[in-house]
Every structure is written in structure tokens, then in C-alpha cells.
Amino acid sequence: MEIDKEDRVKIVRYWKKCMAEMSIPCDDYDRSLNHYIGRILTGGTMKKSLLKGVFCYFVTPILLLVFVLKPRLHRNVDKKKAIFVCPNPNFTFVSDDLPQCIVEQYGSVHVCADELRISTLKLRIDLIGVMVVVKCFLKKPFDYWSFSVLIHLSRIYNLIFKYDPSIIITTQTEEDYSSSLVTYYCEKHNVKYVCFQHGEYCYNPGMAFVRFSEYFAWNKETVNLLEMVNTRIDFATIYKSNRLIKQYLKKTKPMYFITYYLEDQSVDDIFQINEILKLFVEKGYMCNVRYHPRVKYQVDLESIFTDRNINIENPFEVSLGDSISNTEYVVAYKSTVLSEAIANSMNAVIDDLSGSIEYLEEICYANLKKTNLRLSHLLMRYVSSQKLAHN
């Protein structure tokens, strides 16, 4: 069921009310549990139910016993000081994204993203992990939380046992409610568990209360957002991501007037975006639509963007730098691409037609203050105010 724009605003206000009422945790167990509740608020984790609770009640102790009794894996002779892991199977590691201080301190970073998704059948756990999971189980036995923590700790244990690292670097784990306990577990093994920002963030209870040994944020706005969802910020350091350093120049004669950068919009929103772009096409402007490489759309984009003057750009064939350099206006709702366009002095435009500006204000979207260009402005300027009113 599609949620309308007004309801989305109400939902965010409800999130804020819930966050304000939650008590400040005193340790990593409470941080992880409160984080889990925050994820449930945003609909991003397994919903509570009696059946799933009973299942986890019986399965967690059995798996715990199995993981303890499993024979140890052989240690990797080639030890790695720094390793990188990521829960997203489609994430492409780019060393340039790492904070310079990590690169200088550790030199090379061994990428083992696939090993974080090792099969449950191959997992094992040690005594420290057992103590953590048992405490979780006693705090909340009839719940998916303790079961999930067991799986995450077991995967991290495999990496620590195999590589004996000094630091485990990760990204896209701010919304992982096991992260605080993974951090605690790593630190018990004298390993730092460090995360760095990978995209533009907004207000999100899915990141509530999380803790890492260190966290590298792009800007002060991100640190403020973490603080708003009751996350400890004393571990946060602001660094300049390479993707936010000017490195592209717009072509003298760009091929496209508008390139729209899709995120995970609903089918209805995508249809609306198509109708808006067609208004520009009718005036003779070439438009381009670039889909997100990690989003599985619920509809075939070619069946919607059928006009021959609206190109569908393949992100696996055209680099982002080439893309934003070859368009007059970079248009999106709240994509990180807007941040990169702003950093490269491109015309960054926020879509206020298919998306709600009030919602962006409610989730504290930083780019609202960094660019004053809106898609409605372009429509009024290049098409007509009558067409805008009709749309």
C-alpha cells in the first residue's frame, strides 16, 4: 500500500516522539536493544511475533551449543593488520573512500566482504561470544534480537580467528542493530571496529544508539543527526571524503538537459517522474534517467520511460563522473549524487514535484540548505507555469 506524502511526515514525527521517550542506555547491550527497537520503528527488521519468538527461543541455545562444539578453523598464516567487510553484497570497495588517517596508519586494507556472509553452517563462536549471547538471551529470550546477535558475532569471530587483525573496517552498518555488541566483542579481542559514512544521511531511528570504536562522518550535519537519535558522538570524527572533493568539470555542451537520478522510489513516483520529464521533452529538451545500481525496481523502467528522447542510463557502463559532467541539471530527490554535484559546482536540483519538501525538512535533509534549485523552478522557467499547475 502506497503511503502518501502527509502520512510520511506524520510517521517521522512519530519516530521523533518515540526517540524522545526512550531511555538513554547504560551499556552496549541496551544500546543494541534500543537500536533494534529503532529498526522496528522504521520497518527495517523482523517484526515481533509470538511464533518467531518461540522459534528463536529454541533455536538460539541450540545454535549456540553447535557453534561452540564445532572444530576450530585453521588460522590464516598471512595475518592482516586491517580488513574491510560490508553487509551489502553489491557494495564495491573503493580504497579512495577510506579516511586518509586509516590509509596512513595501516597502509593496505584486505577486502573480505564476501566472508562476512559466510554460511551459518560454517559458523563458530568463542567463550566471549557465548557470554554476550547468553546475556542477550536472558534479557530478551523470546525475540529475534539474541538470535541475530549470535549470527553476527559468529561471523566476526571467523574473521578475527582467521586474520588476527588490529582493525576491522566497515561501512553501511550504522543501521545494523548488532553493531554496538560487535564493537564490544571486537574490543574484548583488542580489535577496533570502525565504520565510515558511505552516503548522505537523514534523520533515521534505524541508526539510533549505535556505537563503534571510531566513526568517520562526512560533515557536522551527520554528527548532529546521530546525536538526534541518541547515538554517542564522542567516537565520531569528521573527515573529507574524496567523493566530496571537486574533481569533475561540466562539458561545454552537455548531451542532456536533465539527468534524473533514481533512488528506491515507488512505482507511482516513477510514473510521475516520467510525466514530468515528458513536459521538458515536449519543449525539445533531451532528458536522461539513471537508475540506482543496487535497487531492484518493482517495475521495468523501459516500460515507463518509453519516449525516445528520454534515455535510460546504465550505471555499470557510465561512471558517475561522466554522468554528472554530461548534463545541465543534476536532479534527484535525496540522493547522495546531489552532494557530489554540489561538491563539483554542478547545478544540483531537488525534486519537489514527485517528492515532498516538508518530508525532507522533517528528516533534516542537509542539501535543502546547500542548493536553492528545485524541479518546479525548472518547469516554470523552461516549460510554463500553466503546465506546472496542471501537473
Side-chain angles (χ1 to χ4, degrees), residues 164-176:
D164 192 23
S166 299
I167 182 173
I168 296 178
I169 306 162
T170 183
T171 191
Q172 301 188 27
T173 49
E174 298 93 337
E175 292 189 44
D176 182 350

Side-chain angles (χ1 to χ4, degrees), residues 10 24 45 62 72 86 118 138 200 231 287 309 334 375:
K10 291 178 182 177
I24 302 300
T45 189
I62 293 172
R72 289 180 178 272
C86 180
I118 187 172
L138 293 176
E200 196 68 63
T231 294
C287 295
N309 290 316
K334 52 180 176 60
L375 189 53

Side-chain angles (χ1 to χ4, degrees), residues 280-308:
F280 289 97
V281 167
E282 289 173 3
K283 290 293 182 178
Y285 298 107
M286 281 287 294
C287 295
N288 186 31
V289 174
R290 183 183 175 99
Y291 58 88
H292 196 289
R294 293 192 297 274
V295 172
K296 293 183 179 180
Y297 296 96
Q298 298 177 346
V299 65
D300 179 13
L301 296 180
E302 291 185 357
S303 68
I304 296 178
F305 299 101
T306 56
D307 194 296
R308 61 185 180 86

Side-chain angles (χ1 to χ4, degrees), residues 92-345:
T92 302
F93 177 77
V94 180
S95 58
D96 285 348
D97 286 340
L98 287 176
Q100 189 60 33
C101 61
I102 291 181
V103 176
E104 292 173 355
Q105 183 174 357
Y106 296 98
S108 63
V109 176
H110 178 70
V111 180
C112 49
D114 289 339
E115 295 178 68
L116 188 63
R117 295 180 292 278
I118 187 172
S119 168
T120 305
L121 298 175
K122 298 180 181 179
L123 295 180
R124 196 182 184 283
I125 197 71
D126 62 354
L127 183 58
I128 295 175
V130 170
M131 294 173 65
V132 172
V133 175
V134 167
K135 187 168 182 178
C136 290
F137 187 79
L138 293 176
K139 285 177 75 74
K140 208 167 181 63
F142 286 96
D143 205 279
Y144 180 73
W145 174 58
S146 57
F147 171 80
S148 180
V149 169
L150 169 60
I151 300 301
H152 280 82
L153 292 187
S154 300
R155 286 173 172 159
I156 291 296
Y157 167 78
N158 275 269
L159 294 175
I160 292 176
F161 188 78
K162 182 176 181 180
Y163 294 108
D164 192 23
S166 299
I167 182 173
I168 296 178
I169 306 162
T170 183
T171 191
Q172 301 188 27
T173 49
E174 298 93 337
E175 292 189 44
D176 182 350
Y177 50 83
S178 70
S179 287
S180 295
L181 286 173
V182 170
T183 300
Y184 170 83
Y185 178 77
C186 286
E187 290 172 349
K188 285 292 184 180
H189 285 278
N190 297 315
V191 177
K192 293 171 69 174
Y193 191 60
V194 173
C195 182
F196 65 90
Q197 184 175 350
H198 73 280
E200 196 68 63
Y201 295 159
C202 301
Y203 177 85
N204 179 10
M207 300 192 295
F209 302 98
V210 70
R211 182 181 81 85
F212 297 95
S213 301
E214 290 183 71
Y215 182 76
F216 291 90
W218 287 354
N219 46 44
K220 181 64 176 174
E221 290 90 344
T222 299
V223 176
N224 290 340
L225 287 167
L226 291 173
E227 190 173 23
M228 288 175 67
V229 291
N230 300 319
T231 294
R232 276 181 52 184
I233 58 170
D234 56 344
F235 60 79
T237 300
I238 296 174
Y239 84 106
K240 191 71 172 179
S241 171
N242 283 341
R243 69 168 68 186
L244 299 183
I245 297 174
K246 185 176 177 64
Q247 53 186 319
Y248 307 120
L249 288 175
K250 186 169 69 177
K251 292 184 178 180
T252 306
K253 293 182 179 181
M255 180 180 297
Y256 303 108
F257 181 70
I258 283 176
T259 295
Y260 195 108
Y261 294 82
L262 294 175
E263 300 155 71
D264 57 349
Q265 282 96 339
S266 68
V267 175
D268 288 345
D269 286 343
I270 294 175
F271 271 105
Q272 188 174 0
I273 291 167
N274 177 56
E275 292 303 313
I276 294 169
L277 295 182
K278 283 166 65 176
L279 296 175
F280 289 97
V281 167
E282 289 173 3
K283 290 293 182 178
Y285 298 107
M286 281 287 294
C287 295
N288 186 31
V289 174
R290 183 183 175 99
Y291 58 88
H292 196 289
R294 293 192 297 274
V295 172
K296 293 183 179 180
Y297 296 96
Q298 298 177 346
V299 65
D300 179 13
L301 296 180
E302 291 185 357
S303 68
I304 296 178
F305 299 101
T306 56
D307 194 296
R308 61 185 180 86
N309 290 316
I310 300 179
N311 179 62
I312 299 177
E313 186 171 88
N314 186 337
F316 298 102
E317 296 178 354
V318 181
S319 71
L320 183 60
D322 288 340
S323 180
I324 64 175
S325 301
N326 202 25
T327 187
E328 186 64 37
Y329 292 101
V330 174
V331 183
Y333 183 45
K334 52 180 176 60
S335 170
T336 303
V337 175
L338 290 176
S339 299
E340 298 181 57
I342 291 168
N344 286 279
S345 303

Side-chain angles (χ1 to χ4, degrees), residues 67-82:
F67 289 176
V68 169
L69 295 177
K70 277 187 177 180
R72 289 180 178 272
L73 300 172
H74 294 293
R75 282 188 184 274
N76 189 342
V77 179
D78 184 18
K79 295 182 179 181
K80 308 294 182 182
K81 270 187 161 183

